Amino acid sequence: MRMYETVTENSEKVEKVLCNCCGKEIKKEQGYFSDHLHIEKQWGYFSQKDGRKDDFDICESCYDKFVNSFVLPI
């Protein structure tokens, strides 16, 4: 989950990033966020979510749990 700060009337910057799985804050050091997974998905035709846009962030620990749950390994 990204939280934004308004810079000007027409622009924003990411102020804080939280893991959507565990809620933990992604650390920010020297202006950069620690490595994490950010996914954006625009759903299209033939889905139950046509027209919806989802986006979320996952910390490395939750990513490891997520991919370890796959039936077919990555």
Side-chain angles (χ1 to χ4, degrees), residues 37 63-64 66-74:
L37 178 66
Y63 169 84
D64 291 339
F66 176 54
V67 299
N68 286 332
S69 72
F70 292 178
V71 172
L72 300 174
I74 59 174

Side-chain angles (χ1 to χ4, degrees), residues 39-56:
I39 295 177
E40 294 182 23
K41 170 63 177 159
Q42 180 73 44
W43 293 94
Y45 299 121
F46 310 113
S47 77
Q48 299 296 318
K49 301 166 194 66
D50 187 17
R52 186 170 109 186
K53 180 184 177 193
D54 291 335
D55 66 291
F56 54 93

Side-chain angles (χ1 to χ4, degrees), residues 4-22:
Y4 295 90
E5 173 185 332
T6 301
V7 177
T8 66
E9 185 178 319
N10 298 323
S11 67
E12 300 176 314
K13 72 175 187 174
V14 178
E15 177 184 337
K16 186 188 278 190
V17 179
L18 303 174
C19 175
N20 284 83
C21 289
C22 69

